Amino acid sequence: MKNTIQAILGQTKGDRWIWLIVILLSVISALAVYSSTGTLAYKRGVGAESILVKHLAMIFGGIALMYISHKLDYRYYSGISKILMMVTIPLLLYTLLFGNHVNDASRWIAIPGTGLTFQTSDLAKLSLITFLARSLSRKQENIKDVKESFLPIMGSVCVVFILIALANLSTALMLFGVSVLLLIIGRISIKQIAVVCLAGAVLLAGVIFLGPRRKTYASRIQTFMHPSKVDRDKSFQSDHAKIAIATGGIFGKGPGNSTERNYLPHPYSDFIYATIIEEYGLIGGFALVVIYLFLLYRCIKIVTKAPKAFGALLAAGLSFSLTIQAFANMAVAVGLGPVTGVPLPLVSMGGTSILFTSVAFGIILSVSRHIDEYEDNRKVVVGEIREKEVAA
């Protein structure tokens, strides 16, 4: 058994702390999802164990994808990003026109022959971030050139933003924010970034006031800004999330003892953080915040050590995307933002979203693995030089 564990550990490279974070989040996810899917299981006429088994299958599938992704040299993702972008934009268009409609939003498409669906925005996040990292790293010599650098980069950001925003505004805004952070790191001028932000604001206004979901956005903003002046049905989710947090106290009710899971529409996905606080208290909620902050810290260390611009930008973009999404989900649960459909990375029961999140972790670990190999080779070279100097 010991030899087997050592063999497995020998095959996993990169930042060990990130591997530990993934394991911790997976365990938390299994416990929270099992506890919060009783009502869902009853509606489907199945046992909660069967839902847990499917969720665990996704978790293990995600870990397998993460392992494969981290074994692939991160530099290959530069070429892959071009293919991903060519696939992503038609898929986003197809989703808007022919995707599955849920709550007046077309975000999902079915995977033929599997019975599964996935959000094309999950693929779009991965595609745009890798493509931006590639573009910014390749154009560093003429990064201030408007025609050669700025317009192609801005075009890719705005096209993906508008295609996602029409059906999933919260995800589009987060991805836009990550893109702006990458532009800043990639040395795009402040004036050009201001133009990007202005263009984003114009597109945002168009989606909110003219888009197909304008009534939904107006209702959610009104509910968040003036909860006492709206119909209680509209604030139902946020009200019960607040009750879950308030009744959880400092130490919580204990695993499996949540009561608000029976009232919250999505206690296993959008509001899983409220369920966790109800069962594990403020201590459990704070621990989860610390885990995501520590993840960001480890990723920043990878960014600062990366010897190449592409690796640094890739790790930065993916880590910002994961942590911003995590804190957006937690902010909604505690009432600091309007209700959105953003899952908690690697914790929410999200099906294929877990797989895409795992690939993002794998790419970050691939960059980390390359850094370790680079530093090991550098130590060997330095050692050989010193040996020659001593011999001379």
Side-chain angles (χ1 to χ4, degrees):
M1 183 67 178
K2 183 178 179 181
N3 292 334
T4 303
I5 293 174
Q6 289 177 344
I8 294 173
L9 291 175
Q11 292 297 315
T12 56
K13 305 295 182 181
D15 194 304
R16 298 294 184 189
W17 286 107
I18 293 181
W19 282 104
L20 178 61
I21 288 169
V22 170
I23 294 171
L24 281 174
L25 291 177
S26 298
V27 171
I28 293 170
S29 177
L31 293 172
V33 167
Y34 181 59
S35 174
S36 58
T37 50
T39 303
L40 178 65
Y42 177 77
K43 290 179 180 178
R44 293 182 178 180
V46 298
E49 292 78 9
S50 65
I51 295 178
L52 176 63
V53 168
K54 291 181 180 179
H55 182 62
L56 289 175
M58 282 295 178
I59 289 176
F60 286 119
I63 291 175
L65 282 176
M66 185 170 65
Y67 175 79
I68 295 170
S69 301
H70 107 287
K71 293 293 284 185
L72 183 64
D73 192 317
Y74 79 90
R75 288 169 290 191
Y76 285 112
Y77 292 107
S78 176
I80 294 173
S81 67
K82 293 174 61 180
I83 300 173
L84 287 178
M85 283 297 289
M86 287 188 289
V87 171
T88 294
I89 292 176
L91 274 179
L92 288 173
L93 283 169
Y94 177 85
T95 304
L96 284 173
L97 298 174
F98 308 107
N100 296 342
H101 285 262
V102 179
N103 296 329
D104 299 323
S106 180
R107 302 178 183 177
W108 294 266
I109 59 174
I111 302 175
T114 64
L116 298 175
T117 60
F118 81 98
Q119 281 189 257
T120 46
S121 59
D122 290 329
L123 176 62
K125 285 188 290 186
L126 201 61
S127 303
L128 182 61
I129 290 171
T130 54
F131 184 76
L132 280 179
R134 168 194 166 88
S135 300
L136 289 168
S137 61
R138 285 175 171 261
K139 297 179 183 296
Q140 283 299 300
E141 292 184 1
N142 58 346
I143 197 65
K144 307 297 182 183
D145 190 293
V146 174
K147 184 178 180 180
E148 294 295 325
S149 300
F150 176 68
L151 290 180
I153 292 172
M154 178 182 173
S156 62
V157 172
C158 290
V159 168
V160 173
F161 173 79
I162 192 65
L163 289 176
I164 296 177
L166 290 171
N168 193 346
L169 183 59
S170 54
T171 297
L173 285 173
M174 285 187 289
L175 185 55
F176 187 82
V178 172
S179 300
V180 171
L181 288 173
L182 277 181
L183 295 181
I184 294 172
I185 297 172
R187 298 194 310 115
I188 293 288
S189 72
I190 299 299
K191 290 182 179 180
Q192 291 176 345
I193 291 175
V195 171
V196 173
C197 292
L198 180 61
V202 172
L203 292 174
L204 176 62
V207 170
I208 292 176
F209 295 109
L210 302 174
R213 304 193 71 211
R214 56 187 179 275
K215 293 182 180 179
T216 301
Y217 298 142
S219 175
R220 288 181 177 179
I221 294 172
Q222 177 71 12
T223 301
F224 175 69
M225 298 297 293
H226 307 286
S228 61
K229 298 180 180 180
V230 299
D231 189 342
R232 303 312 298 174
D233 290 340
K234 293 183 179 180
S235 61
F236 182 83
Q237 296 182 86
S238 56
D239 287 345
H240 281 281
K242 292 173 184 176
I243 293 172
I245 293 169
T247 56
I250 297 176
F251 300 103
K253 298 177 179 178
N257 293 325
S258 169
T259 54
E260 294 306 311
R261 64 186 175 183
N262 299 318
Y263 302 99
L264 283 167
H266 303 286
Y268 44 83
S269 56
D270 298 353
F271 286 92
I272 197 168
Y273 187 62
T275 306
I276 290 172
I277 294 179
E278 185 181 7
E279 294 188 348
Y280 299 93
L282 292 177
I283 292 176
F286 181 72
L288 198 55
V289 171
V290 171
I291 290 173
Y292 282 111
L293 285 175
F294 188 61
L295 168 65
L296 180 61
Y297 167 73
R298 297 305 305 179
C299 290
I300 289 174
K301 288 199 70 174
I302 293 172
V303 172
T304 57
K305 290 182 178 180
K308 300 291 184 180
F310 176 65
L313 291 166
L314 192 58
L318 293 173
S319 60
F320 287 147
S321 175
L322 291 170
T323 51
I324 288 174
Q325 179 179 326
F327 285 106
N329 175 280
M330 292 187 283
V332 169
V334 300
L336 294 178
V339 174
T340 64
V342 178
L344 193 57
L346 278 192
V347 176
S348 293
M349 188 181 79
T352 51
S353 66
I354 292 177
L355 303 182
F356 285 106
T357 300
S358 299
V359 171
F361 271 103
I363 296 173
I364 293 171
L365 286 167
S366 177
V367 177
S368 176
R369 180 174 68 87
H370 178 79
I371 292 170
D372 292 341
E373 293 173 353
Y374 175 81
E375 290 182 347
D376 289 342
N377 292 334
R378 186 172 61 83
K379 289 177 182 179
V380 170
V381 172
V382 170
E384 290 176 350
I385 292 173
R386 287 179 178 175
E387 288 178 1
K388 291 179 180 180
E389 290 177 348
V390 171

